[in-house]
Amino acid sequence: MCGIVGAVSNRNIVPILLEGLKRLEYRGYDSCGVAVHQGGALRRARSTSRVAELQANVEADHVASGTGIAHTRWATHGAPAVHNAHPHFSAGTHIDAMATGFGALEDEVAGQPVAPVARIGLVHNGIIENHDELRAELRERGYVFTSQTDTEVIAHLVHSFYDGDLLEAVQAALPRLRGAYAIAVFSRDEPHRVVGARQGSPLVLGVGLGEHFLASDAMALAGVTDQIVYLEEGDVVDMQLGKVWISAADAAGGGGRYKNVQRPVRTVTAHSGAAELGPYRHYMQKEIFEQPRALADTLEGVEGISPELFGDGAYRVFKEVDRVLILACGTSSYAGMTAKYWLESIAAIPTSVEIASEYRYRDSVPDPRTLVVTITQSGETADTLAALKHARSLGMEHTLTICNVSTSAMVRECKLAYITRAGVEIGVASTKAFTTQLAGLYLLTLALAQVRGRLNAAQEAAELKALRHLPVALQAVLALEPQIIAWSEDFARKENALFLGRGLHYPIALEGALKLKEISYIHAEAYPAGELKHGPLALVTDQMPVVTVAPNDALLEKLKSNLQEVRARGGQLYVFADSDTHIGSEPGVHVIRMPEHYGALSPLLHVVPLQLLAYHTACARGTDVDKPRNLAKSVTVE
């Protein structure tokens, strides 16, 4: 992974490829590259710097072509290094070290600038699980490997089948691959052709006038074409000048045969990831402050509580289910953990939350009367998609997703959906996607409660009033930023932190700790406050800040006792307290008062100051806030 762009056109597509990579930068990457068909050969440029530097090198060497592929990589196999960056070439069973005048864009082999006489060029998102087996086989046949990637294996494998027809070579190679992939491939011998294929990793086809494009995300093609085909699992697309074919494996035919298929063309308005920052220093800060609008947009049109908010047929499904299974990863899993409290206390429906990457690898007890709920910002998270398919394979067919991208694979795979309207989220650390997910999950809770006879008209009116007030309440929380900045100066000098919460605010503490880890690189852990004396208390010193979420709820007095345990050990407390909790500042106890208590919806307010604390601490430490090291925005591999 992480980003793919490809094109076939009569015009110079190099600027389109590079602009597409820039629009995918928000996903995170550690290297990038572009390859084109020019002067009867394949030319390539790769870099471990930003796309802007790659673009400067390409422009300096006057690279121009109507056919090419490009990629941003987030390392899975092999360290972030130029020789591991995509695109990968295959020149057959040897490397021809003859210089080709490629200038600053040449590869280096054994310290000498040379360029392979490449026949096949390829970019790839995903992971090939049997790459070691294929690598050994190809080496025996004389292929030379110059990288540690699983991707170079695919390039050589396609080359091994190539006999003048790129589509046939790709179709022959794909059955040999085990794992997930989205690929774009082109050949030196066919100057106006690019073949793409997908299995377990997203890939879209952009349709233009006499030209065609491939991308891992429609956003990469914003401004180029709005005519998008979402390729389905197992699809292979053959792009040539003015024409395109899509084929899929013919299950009836067997033996790796393919048949032509039709996929609908959709008009998609994709917004560029290169949005203006305006008065903000980073996209993360901008997105934190966009949360009132994002919540208002997500709740727009909700005039009443109804199962039909989640799609046609939702009422029948909600009547048939008697439990909920939530599948999610990372920040989305914390949204699911919060929703478990709501679903069981308000809708009285048993709920379990599973980490998607673990769920399908353990024995579980399926129940066909379960509503399987997936939560994902992108709708392309590989682990969550795989967990959903596993749940369906066990006979659980009632599926619903809370997702921010209406055209995503997850929305297509689930029968029901609630589309949040957070807008494009560029910062790798999720903020507005999380709060809008919580809003969607709260609506789901209320709809299930209504169907189960636990929400009368008066309660519905009160809940709707509270939801509509959320944007205003969030604005008041954002006004706390100056106080939080003062705290961040203390946190920037620390290397460890504890976060505490009780009840439905325990997942919010988890989310706060995750944010601090992600962008400031401070080790942070979260615990239910009642668990403090069962181990974590041993860590408490005056060098261990303890962040506490303290709403005025039924567990407040218990929480106050936990705070005293910290103070007795000399710990420094940083408390986000509702105004009526009677927790006062004193030596060793720092308090920021929340504007108002918000009942069951309190998690949506309390998470925002934790986001701001992480953000300003990271700024004070000088880290790359929007692109934290080793992380990617959309995790499309296992």
Side-chain angles (χ1 to χ4, degrees), residues 432-457:
K432 62 179 178 173
F434 178 71
T435 47
T436 53
Q437 285 171 353
L438 289 177
L441 289 162
Y442 198 74
L443 287 173
L444 174 62
T445 299
L446 297 179
L448 285 166
Q450 183 186 74
V451 170
R452 296 167 70 84
R454 296 180 59 86
L455 186 72
N456 60 38

Side-chain angles (χ1 to χ4, degrees), residues 13 17 33-37 42-45 67-70 87 89 121 186:
I13 48 79
L17 297 179
V34 61
V36 300
H37 195 290
L42 301 187
R43 299 183 70 187
R44 172 174 64 183
T67 304
I69 54 179
F89 282 173
F186 70 148

Side-chain angles (χ1 to χ4, degrees), residues 36 69 85 114 152 168 208 219 267 304 402 413 451 508 522 542 567 572 585 594 618:
V36 300
I69 54 179
V114 299
E152 191 180 7
E168 289 183 358
M219 182 185 298
T267 301
I402 306 293
E413 292 286 339
V451 170
I508 299 307
I522 293 172
D542 60 359
R567 285 300 302 127
Q572 294 289 311
S585 296
M594 299 290 286

Side-chain angles (χ1 to χ4, degrees), residues 46 69 164 190-191 214 254 269 272 298 309 322 389 450 487 543 577 581 615:
R46 300 183 291 180
I69 54 179
E190 299 177 77
L214 282 177
T269 303
S272 168
T298 295
L309 290 170
D322 52 26
K389 292 175 183 177
Q450 183 186 74
W487 281 12
Q543 293 302 306
T581 54
Y615 170 72

Side-chain angles (χ1 to χ4, degrees), residues 275-290:
E276 292 295 327
L277 274 172
Y280 302 102
R281 290 177 62 187
H282 300 94
Y283 286 110
M284 182 179 178
Q285 185 187 28
K286 178 176 184 283
E287 287 155 11
I288 290 171
F289 277 82
E290 285 177 342

